[in-house]
Amino acid sequence: MATDAPPPSKEQHKLPSPEEYNEVHQSAEFAELRRSYRSFAFPLTVAFIVWYLLYVLLSNYAGGFMGTKLFGNINVAFVLGIAQFATTFLIAWWYARHASTKLDPKAEAIKTRMEGGA
Amino acid sequence: MNSLTTLAATNQASDHRTLIISLFAAFVIATLFITVWAGRQTKDAADFYAGGRQFSAFQNGLAVSGDYMSAASFLGIAGAIALFGYDGFLYSIGFLVAWLVALLLVAEPLRNSGRYTMGDVLAYRMRQRPVRTAAGTSTIVVSIFYLLAQMAGAGVLVSLLLGITSDAGKILIVALVGVLMIVYVSIGGMKGTTWVQMVKAVLLISGTVLITFLVLLKFNFNISDLLGKAAENSGKGAAFLEPGLQYGATGTSKLDFISLGIALVLGTAGLPHILIRFYTVPTAKAARKSVNWAIGIIGAFYLMTLALGFGAAALISQEEIIASNPSGNTAAPLLAQHLGGTDSAWGAILLATISAVAFATILAVVAGLTLASSSSFAHDIYANVIKKGQATEKQEVRAARLATIGIGAVSILLGALARDLNVAGLVALAFAVAASANLPTILYSLFWKRFTTQGALWSIYGGLIVAVGLVLFSPVVSGDPKAMFPDVDFAWFPLKNPGIISIPFGFFMGWLGTVLSKEEPDAAKYAELEVRSLTGTGAH
């Protein structure tokens, strides 16, 4: 049930001061977390958008190629469409794995320390 | 000719009507119980806006799916595939891939840095009052366009299925939907709305699985046979299975297709009613997991719409689908009836079930949209702009409840006026406006250190005005037989979807407003936002 545990929003954490935020922001540990996030998420975003736009453009301007039958009535267009689904599922899974192994431990370490282990 | 005259021709006409009404009434009663129950547990602002932040990742994933799979996806995509074959499938792909933007760039930082609304994140390091006013405005505009589409859809669907064709009858249905959504949201808040979304998602998925299974059974689970029969029965042959039937005619229509494609993939992560769902879970990690659940559920659902659409094309004649609804919106219920046998009780039962699922879908989505806009009104505009942050939680929640009634009244009024408009155009417009006005500001705020208040304002208002303006002068509004005003022609913009112009424009204005701005960005606030958005330190 959704309401069993007490809401975390009401727990009293020590809220870090602007100076503490700034200090952490400058730290090598935080820089590493940010790099690890951005160097994964940004190129991947560009890649899946390019792959999606390529699919849109092929649908528009390469009708003959898309209509090529591969087996039975299944053509290239159909397979590429399903491939968009497959890559979406794959990227979602891949990011979740990266985040839970590479990002979460670093983020939690910083958070725990900043909130004074409250 | 009226759609369901075909259905009404069978002697089950009154039977299926009674059944549809009973199933629909059962859904309404069940959800009202949930709403009252949730309302009793809604005590403070975090309860009303964010359901107490205690939903699990799976529960929220289900609710996100419920919020996202609107009548446009269920009825619209199945109908588009049934009539245009492969081109209808392209909607599903855009709607799904779009979730990766939300997953990789938006969901977690938003959960960590905001409290209740999209405006929380946009205004984090900016001057509060102007940015919150802008964020509130665009939230309400996007939600109203989306609402309008759902209300118009509800009117059309209900009138078709229940055989109500008089204007008074349609207006009554729209008013009924409006009153229900006011009750759901003002009493149940986010908690009630989330449970309604979950119930609806389970019903929709079950209904879709059932129909998909029955379609595949008819073709011995041979997809190639199903596609072959659909192509043959459509009268269009192999072209039915290739892109281009709907958008391939001219250079302009191809450009329109690209524009639509861009709006779909970039719109989702800027839809306020989707964004506020990420506040209902306790942590950013849970927000990420709920997006992953949503991607799985929504992806499976869109794959099944293929079976629905091609199944309808294979088993029902194009004439019958078009006679029922010119845009194919009733293809899925028709298919259900055919699968059960048009003259048998099973046909009537399946038709009634699928129709009731479609009503549930519309009601739930409408509730989510109303919640997003009344939250933004109360939290961004009332509490932070009008009251300058001095409102008590009690006052804020009361303002949100009152706003629900206001927004409900406005959408009943507009929905009644829009009852005969093109539904699909309105949904795609909501996506285009969200991608033009909201997404650039969200991304710049989170990732661009130099971004300033002026950049945020130029981007939100620039994207909003250009997107809405271009639609006003597009063939969606005038100069086309299917337009809102078919008899006049002021459509100098040739594309139906403005995304290809308005989205880059929104990004450009955010950049321009920033580089031309005289004020220095607040570096300390950005450091705080960055640390908080990546680690969750200090998150509510």
Side-chain angles (χ1 to χ4, degrees):
Chain A
M1 182 60 70
T3 44
D4 288 344
S9 52
K10 286 174 193 155
E11 286 167 22
Q12 284 306 309
H13 287 302
K14 179 175 82 72
L15 277 188
S17 65
E19 292 74 31
E20 284 172 285
Y21 273 116
N22 201 40
E23 199 179 305
V24 169
H25 192 247
Q26 304 295 329
S27 70
E29 189 186 13
F30 180 75
E32 170 58 23
L33 169 64
R34 181 175 54 190
R35 195 202 55 78
S36 178
Y37 166 67
R38 291 194 172 191
S39 66
F40 190 90
F42 289 8
L44 201 56
T45 301
V46 172
F48 81 73
I49 287 184
V50 167
W51 162 230
Y52 169 77
L53 288 179
L54 178 75
Y55 167 78
V56 169
L57 292 175
L58 280 176
S59 301
N60 245 351
Y61 303 107
F65 166 69
M66 295 293 265
T68 314
K69 285 196 176 173
L70 293 174
F71 34 93
N73 291 304
I74 314 262
N75 57 21
V76 172
F78 198 80
V79 170
L80 282 183
I82 300 294
Q84 288 284 333
F85 276 74
T87 50
T88 302
F89 293 142
L90 195 73
I91 290 170
W93 168 81
W94 192 24
Y95 172 71
R97 203 189 58 158
H98 174 80
S100 64
T101 55
K102 301 273 159 50
L103 307 179
D104 289 348
K106 291 192 186 87
E108 273 158 29
I110 293 175
K111 179 180 157 83
T112 311
R113 204 174 55 242
M114 287 185 79
E115 290 179 348
Chain B
M1 181 170 116
N2 180 311
S3 75
L4 289 217
T5 31
T6 354
L7 295 170
T10 71
N11 52 7
Q12 269 89 26
S14 61
D15 278 1
H16 85 241
R17 207 175 295 176
T18 320
L19 202 57
I20 290 174
I21 293 174
S22 336
L23 287 175
F24 188 38
F27 176 79
V28 169
I29 292 167
T31 46
L32 285 177
F33 266 109
I34 294 174
T35 302
V36 171
W37 168 81
R40 288 192 176 170
Q41 305 191 4
T42 297
K43 298 193 174 69
D44 59 12
D47 288 334
F48 186 85
Y49 291 125
R53 307 195 199 283
Q54 280 302 295
F55 284 97
S56 72
F58 174 69
Q59 287 175 324
N60 190 45
L62 207 52
V64 167
S65 315
D67 239 335
Y68 196 64
M69 299 182 294
S70 69
S73 7
F74 180 52
L75 302 171
I77 294 177
I81 295 176
L83 293 183
F84 300 105
Y86 190 83
D87 271 9
F89 184 30
L90 298 156
Y91 278 96
S92 315
I93 292 169
F95 280 138
L96 179 70
V97 174
W99 276 99
L100 291 177
V101 182
L103 175 69
L104 293 176
L105 302 178
V106 178
E108 294 170 65
L110 183 99
R111 172 64 192 83
N112 274 338
S113 47
R115 276 165 77 96
Y116 305 133
T117 63
M118 180 184 80
D120 287 341
V121 179
L122 303 191
Y124 195 92
R125 59 193 173 106
M126 306 298 170
R127 280 182 279 130
Q128 295 287 314
R129 297 179 71 191
V131 175
R132 282 194 186 268
T133 308
T137 307
S138 85
T139 295
I140 292 170
V141 170
V142 170
S143 301
I144 294 256
F145 272 115
Y146 216 113
L147 263 173
L148 212 57
Q150 305 296 325
M151 296 290 262
V156 170
L157 185 79
V158 176
S159 2
L160 290 176
L161 293 169
L162 301 181
I164 300 168
T165 46
S166 71
D167 275 348
K170 284 188 193 173
I171 293 171
L172 194 72
I173 297 294
V174 169
L176 181 75
V177 170
V179 169
L180 276 172
M181 85 190 195
I182 292 172
V183 172
Y184 284 150
V185 178
S186 63
I187 297 178
M190 179 55 109
K191 199 168 270 177
T193 308
T194 304
W195 280 104
V196 170
Q197 303 292 8
M198 286 192 262
V199 171
K200 165 258 167 110
V202 170
L203 287 176
L204 181 57
I205 292 288
S206 313
T208 315
V209 167
L210 176 68
I211 301 298
T212 303
F213 178 76
L214 292 175
V215 166
L216 292 179
L217 197 63
K218 272 220 175 312
F219 291 90
N220 289 319
F221 296 88
N222 184 330
I223 292 169
S224 174
D225 280 1
L226 166 64
L227 294 175
K229 187 73 186 358
E232 185 196 320
N233 199 41
S234 72
K236 289 164 191 126
F240 195 69
L241 304 178
E242 294 164 19
L245 269 185
Q246 191 175 13
Y247 291 99
T250 62
T252 311
S253 70
K254 286 183 175 182
L255 210 57
D256 215 352
F257 177 70
I258 297 175
S259 192
L260 174 73
I262 296 173
L264 294 184
V265 79
L266 297 179
T268 300
L271 291 173
H273 70 293
I274 296 297
L275 296 177
I276 60 167
R277 292 232 68 89
F278 301 134
Y279 295 129
T280 66
V281 292
T283 60
K285 190 171 181 173
R288 178 201 313 146
K289 282 187 183 163
S290 57
V291 178
N292 270 329
W293 275 112
I295 288 176
I297 295 167
I298 293 166
F301 171 76
Y302 284 142
L303 283 175
M304 290 190 286
T305 57
L306 282 174
L308 259 53
F310 284 115
L315 299 172
I316 309 168
S317 75
Q318 294 277 303
E319 292 71 33
E320 193 182 330
I321 296 171
I322 293 172
S324 189
N325 179 279
S327 357
N329 285 336
T330 45
L334 275 179
L335 173 67
Q337 193 192 28
H338 271 254
L339 288 167
T342 33
D343 287 322
S344 77
W346 279 115
I349 291 171
L350 275 179
L351 171 70
T353 310
I354 293 305
S355 310
V357 165
F359 297 152
T361 291
I362 289 174
L363 267 183
V365 172
V366 155
L369 290 161
T370 309
L371 181 67
S373 30
S374 45
S375 296
S376 180
F377 175 81
H379 183 63
D380 292 323
I381 294 179
Y382 169 78
N384 282 296
V385 177
I386 299 176
K387 289 278 185 179
K388 300 177 191 171
Q390 301 302 311
T392 63
E393 275 199 15
K394 225 176 193 156
Q395 286 177 315
E396 213 181 305
V397 172
R398 202 183 55 208
R401 291 194 152 123
L402 287 174
T404 306
I405 300 173
I407 285 157
V410 169
S411 37
I412 291 174
L413 197 73
L414 292 175
L417 289 172
R419 63 189 183 275
D420 293 324
L421 299 189
N422 181 322
V423 176
L426 289 169
V427 171
L429 173 62
F431 271 75
V433 176
S436 314
N438 297 346
L439 188 70
T441 316
I442 294 172
L443 295 183
Y444 284 141
S445 289
L446 290 171
F447 300 114
W448 189 27
K449 196 175 174 179
R450 275 194 62 191
F451 195 49
T452 64
T453 297
Q454 180 172 298
L457 297 176
W458 286 25
S459 164
I460 296 176
Y461 288 123
L464 193 64
I465 290 167
V466 168
V468 175
L470 287 180
V471 169
L472 205 59
F473 296 105
S474 78
V476 175
V477 174
S478 72
D480 186 273
K482 284 184 180 170
M484 296 177 187
F485 305 104
D487 303 330
V488 285
D489 186 355
F490 47 87
W492 51 261
F493 183 68
L495 304 182
K496 287 183 175 154
N497 195 294
I500 199 168
I501 307 281
S502 63
I503 298 170
F505 186 77
F507 276 100
F508 171 75
M509 289 306 280
W511 171 82
L512 190 72
T514 299
V515 296
L516 292 183
S517 107
K518 291 190 182 75
E519 68 183 319
E520 281 295 311
D522 189 338
K525 263 305 209 192
Y526 182 68
E528 184 181 318
L529 172 66
E530 229 185 14
V531 171
R532 188 167 154 172
S533 72
L534 271 173
T535 64
T537 307
H540 296 278

